[in-house]
Amino acid sequence: MSCKAPRTFRPALAMAGQNPGHDPFCANGPPGARGLHRRSLLTSCLALSAAALAGCHGPSRSRSPEQIALWPETPPGGGGPSGPEQATARGALYNITEPRLEIFRPANPNGSAVLIAAGGGYQRIGMKREAYPAARWLAARGVTAYVLVYRLPGEGWAEGPLAPLQDARRALALIGRHARRDGIDKERISLLGFSAGGHLMGMTASQWHGEGPFAPLLEKMSVPKPAGAALIYPVITLEKPYDHTATRRDLVGVNAPPRSGASVVSTESCQARISAGVSDTGR
């Protein structure tokens, strides 16, 4: 099965950093709220997990009525796989030729938005079992959902393990740029990631700004600070003894020593990027 995304654009995506007592998925709450309410996050995570486990009916190709290419031309560094995009029997995408956002708009939007990244060990993207059910669940509750189809490191992209992080930062920048037009409150843009997608969203939430030759390009992007991040069964650390995952193999390599290499994984784990004075509990 193949799937090619049209280069159309109708965006908006967001959420991260809310106050205790303020549920980032709800329309009401104190203005300018900051800090993530742990109970609200856990409740939302459990509900989203249930939605993912429930599965998704229909073909594995895109079920989004709107799509937007992340990069106007060739992504940073170029390269990539040959042939059309492919999907497994379980609806996971691979051979990603055009990174993009797939947009699920609610019938009654409440001004909030979520950027979603499904997992798959950075070898595929679990759209049918993770991303699409979560996007529908959120849209049914008034949240504009943006599903990220990101470049996979092992598919010939010149930027390798940096490619998916570049795509995530670009996606967040596009959502913020068009937030007013699309009725999205920039203070209510959040992130949701599953498994390896949890690693990707965790790194994005930590305000990763880019590394390598394209770092200046990424740093110049105006990116809204996420109001919060829900990481569902995520890959958080790549350090021992948790260094035998597909995520570790694709980002760092099988025998690479810790902190090695001139890539983003020189700071291998999400927890290593939490700045001083910020608690990993969200308080």
Side-chain angles (χ1 to χ4, degrees):
M1 174 179 288
S2 64
C3 167
K4 186 70 174 177
R7 289 182 176 271
T8 57
F9 184 41
R10 297 265 319 162
L13 163 52
M15 248 167 112
Q18 312 262 1
N19 222 0
H22 176 59
D23 184 347
F25 294 106
C26 295
N28 299 319
R34 287 285 187 273
L36 188 62
H37 183 14
R38 183 163 49 183
R39 180 175 297 176
S40 296
L41 174 60
L42 290 174
T43 301
S44 300
C45 288
L46 289 172
L48 289 166
S49 296
L53 291 173
C56 170
H57 298 285
S60 58
R61 64 179 179 274
S62 170
R63 302 302 302 273
S64 166
E66 299 179 41
Q67 300 183 35
I68 171 178
L70 291 180
W71 307 95
E73 297 180 359
T74 303
S82 60
E85 187 173 282
Q86 301 293 320
T88 69
R90 294 186 176 183
L93 298 183
Y94 64 98
N95 214 59
I96 306 300
T97 57
E98 185 175 43
R100 62 188 182 274
L101 284 173
E102 300 190 355
I103 308 170
F104 291 75
R105 297 188 185 276
N108 300 297
N110 63 22
S112 63
V114 175
L115 176 61
I116 302 170
Y122 287 107
Q123 297 175 347
R124 62 191 67 84
I125 306 173
M127 305 294 279
K128 184 174 179 179
R129 292 198 166 191
E130 293 174 340
Y132 291 156
R136 293 191 186 94
W137 187 90
L138 288 165
R141 287 154 179 81
V143 180
T144 303
Y146 296 82
V147 174
L148 177 61
V149 180
Y150 51 91
R151 287 174 287 166
L152 299 173
E155 293 191 339
W157 297 100
E159 288 294 274
L162 296 176
L165 284 158
Q166 294 170 347
D167 290 347
R169 184 168 174 82
R170 172 69 172 176
L172 200 53
L174 288 175
I175 292 163
R177 179 187 300 176
H178 297 275
R180 177 178 294 183
R181 186 192 73 182
D182 292 317
I184 300 298
D185 181 353
K186 282 188 177 183
E187 301 293 323
R188 301 176 61 211
I189 297 175
S190 294
L191 311 176
L192 169 63
F194 298 84
S195 190
H199 177 269
L200 179 57
M201 292 294 95
M203 294 291 287
T204 302
S206 74
Q207 302 294 293
W208 180 82
H209 292 154
E211 296 183 22
F214 293 97
L217 169 66
L218 297 170
E219 289 173 357
K220 286 192 296 185
M221 293 180 184
S222 177
V223 179
K225 182 178 180 180
L231 310 180
I232 313 299
Y233 45 86
V235 176
I236 290 294
T237 181
L238 306 181
E239 298 175 349
K240 292 182 180 296
Y242 309 105
D243 56 345
H244 299 292
T245 63
T247 296
R248 163 79 187 203
R249 289 195 300 271
D250 275 12
L251 293 184
V252 184
V254 177
N255 299 314
R259 312 287 180 193
S260 69
S263 75
V264 67
V265 239
S266 59
T267 42
E268 298 169 351
S269 306
C270 296
Q271 82 275 6
R273 302 191 61 84
I274 298 177
S275 59
V278 177
S279 168
D280 58 4
T281 64
R283 294 184 176 180

